[in-house]
Amino acid sequence: MNRSHKHQQGLTFISLIFILGLIAFFVLLGLKIGPIYLNHSKVVSALAEIEKTPAIEEQSETEIRNSLGKRFNINYVDDVTQDDITITHQRNYLKVTIEYEVVSKIIGNLSVLVEFNDVIEVGKQ
């Protein structure tokens, strides 16, 4: 029962495979989820540009939708559709809400669902 410490050093082959598999899984997860958040940052920047537009609260809903659509086309944002955009437009008040979700397949029947809800408000209600 008295073993020397020479025989108990290092990782076994099975533990090494397990650690490498775990690292590979998280790298794969990052490669699948990373582009989703990159597209989301493009959506947020498009909303920020809409918010900075002078007299945006005076534009019509169609003009605002067209402006967002053009910005999404330029930045190659495919996850947001016109149905995901809600515009509340009153006299001197504008609220634009973009609520969407993205499902990305990881491996086999394993998928990841990411939900986003972004809002800007301009003017006084």
Side-chain angles (χ1 to χ4, degrees), residues 3 10 32-33 54-55 68 84 99-101 113 116-117 120:
R3 293 187 181 196
K32 292 289 187 169
I33 294 176
L68 279 172
D84 299 330
E99 188 173 350
Y100 66 103
E101 58 185 37
L113 168 69
F116 297 105
N117 186 7
I120 62 160

Side-chain angles (χ1 to χ4, degrees), residues 35-84:
I36 295 172
Y37 280 98
L38 181 65
N39 276 340
H40 176 67
S41 70
K42 293 175 184 177
V43 171
V44 170
S45 70
L47 275 176
E49 290 298 319
I50 289 291
E51 190 175 17
K52 292 177 187 175
T53 303
I56 189 68
E57 59 270 0
E58 296 172 5
Q59 291 184 358
S60 70
E61 184 175 331
T62 306
E63 291 173 329
I64 295 168
R65 284 185 184 274
N66 287 339
S67 178
L68 279 172
K70 288 176 186 176
R71 292 173 197 277
F72 292 157
N73 283 337
I74 289 172
N75 289 324
Y76 300 106
V77 175
D78 297 326
D79 298 331
V80 179
T81 63
Q82 289 295 325
D83 295 335
D84 299 330

Side-chain angles (χ1 to χ4, degrees), residues 4-18:
S4 67
H5 292 289
K6 290 181 190 176
H7 298 291
Q8 296 179 3
Q9 292 179 350
L11 296 173
T12 64
F13 183 69
I14 293 173
S15 62
L16 182 66
I17 294 296
F18 178 74

